[in-house]
Amino acid sequence: MASIAGRSGKCSNFGNCTIADTRRTVEVSVGMDFVCSECLKPLLLNSEGAGAGRSKAPIMALLIALLTLGGAGSWYFISAGKKHADHPQESSAGMQEAPSKSTPKSASGDCSTADKQAGLCR
């Protein structure tokens, strides 16, 4: 924790300094050199101080919002596709169109005798 009267830091002289090996925080008074009290190597400023780092909360909130919108959009388009597949297009009269049957006719427009016998001519 940072001191109000001074700064705090950690020694990085691992293997040569017991303060660094134990990862203790060193408090340095205002006006004193910012060095380790044991090995006299420069200290690394604690990141716990004011303005040490930016909060990741706004980035996380934005990421969650984008994922939520993406999921909602996907659900909408998938459900719209299923709804469209379940209900084929209807005609303007509101009734489903039946597949049309073509009646075979001769080149002159008259029915052949076979078609007449089969009841395909009108």
Side-chain angles (χ1 to χ4, degrees), residues 6 16 40 47-48 50 52 79 103 112 119 121:
N16 298 319
L40 302 177
S47 62
E48 298 172 359
S79 65
T103 55
S112 66
C121 297

Side-chain angles (χ1 to χ4, degrees), residues 18-96:
T18 57
I19 292 176
D21 293 339
T22 58
R23 292 176 171 73
R24 285 188 301 188
T25 300
V26 177
E27 298 289 329
V28 179
S29 300
V30 176
M32 299 293 291
D33 289 334
F34 197 62
V35 294
C36 178
S37 58
E38 183 180 321
C39 67
L40 302 177
K41 296 287 183 180
L43 296 173
L44 299 174
L45 187 63
N46 266 353
S47 62
E48 298 172 359
R54 295 185 180 156
S55 175
K56 294 182 182 177
I59 295 171
M60 292 302 291
L62 180 64
L63 182 62
I64 290 171
L66 288 174
L67 288 173
T68 302
L69 287 173
S74 299
W75 177 79
Y76 174 77
F77 286 115
I78 290 171
S79 65
K82 286 182 180 178
K83 186 176 183 180
H84 181 70
D86 292 343
H87 303 290
Q89 283 186 336
E90 297 179 359
S91 67
S92 61
M95 300 186 71
Q96 190 173 350

